[in-house]
Amino acid sequence: MNVVEAAPRLAEFKRSQRVGNSLQKALYDANEITVNFKRRGALSKELDKIFPYWNAAIQGLDKSARTFKDNPAAALTKSFMAITIPTLVMYAFNYNDPNYQKLNNRTKDNFILIPKGDGTFFKVAKPQELGTIFSDIPERLLRKFHQDDRRI
């Protein structure tokens, strides 16, 4: 997992230096490219001991809020393209599949489910914070509309 986490940070560090930013700015940019789990306050450090992954959850929410605050139009567009559209496409493939219908809401809410063809699914994790807004809600609305449509 270190390589998965380090690769985009290294690329951002090099990009930031290439455009002429200082070493400190390049390091900051590299740390901010994904959720920076090293950021924490004194209270977060203590709460993390009691509630596992407290800091990770707070940093994820903070990163999402800063992203939408800094450039809301780009954040909305990227979220829609990267989360909502794949969710809707996979729902179109899955909604009539009895194996999909047997899955619980927790699985449907946490993963984009790609059918393998043998009754099982490849599971691609949805982003924790943005997945609720840009994936879970639209998919649940589609399921509700589809369910109501069957009753008519």
Side-chain angles (χ1 to χ4, degrees):
M1 291 307 267
N2 251 352
V3 172
V4 172
E5 190 70 24
R9 292 182 193 275
L10 178 61
E12 179 61 20
F13 175 79
K14 288 180 178 180
R15 186 210 59 80
S16 187
Q17 280 200 312
R18 193 171 42 250
V19 298
N21 289 329
S22 68
L23 177 63
Q24 289 80 13
K25 174 73 170 128
L27 287 170
Y28 176 81
D29 290 345
N31 279 329
E32 291 299 309
I33 196 72
T34 61
V35 176
N36 184 357
F37 298 111
K38 293 177 186 172
R39 287 181 68 175
R40 67 174 62 229
L43 181 60
S44 246
K45 190 174 186 177
E46 295 305 314
L47 286 172
D48 223 13
K49 293 176 183 175
I50 301 166
F51 304 105
Y53 307 107
W54 169 267
N55 189 58
I58 296 300
Q59 293 307 323
L61 285 170
D62 180 59
K63 175 70 175 163
S64 296
R66 286 184 290 124
T67 299
F68 276 87
K69 180 182 165 243
D70 293 345
N71 193 345
L76 279 169
T77 302
K78 288 177 183 177
S79 297
F80 184 77
M81 298 294 288
I83 303 169
T84 306
I85 289 177
T87 297
L88 299 179
V89 168
M90 291 320 305
Y91 180 77
F93 277 102
N94 291 329
Y95 79 97
N96 269 336
D97 185 343
N99 297 307
Y100 176 79
Q101 293 169 0
K102 290 177 190 173
L103 295 172
N104 60 32
N105 283 335
R106 182 180 176 277
T107 301
K108 293 174 186 175
D109 287 347
N110 286 308
F111 301 98
I112 293 176
L113 300 161
I114 304 168
K116 292 182 183 178
D118 63 356
T120 61
F121 299 88
F122 290 109
K123 295 178 180 179
V124 179
K126 294 178 184 178
Q128 196 69 25
E129 294 82 13
L130 298 178
T132 301
I133 297 166
F134 291 97
S135 181
D136 301 348
I137 292 172
E139 184 175 0
R140 283 187 178 226
L141 285 171
L142 281 175
R143 283 192 264 155
K144 176 73 174 141
F145 293 148
H146 187 251
Q147 180 184 12
D148 288 351
D149 215 28
R150 286 183 183 165
R151 291 184 205 160
I152 297 174

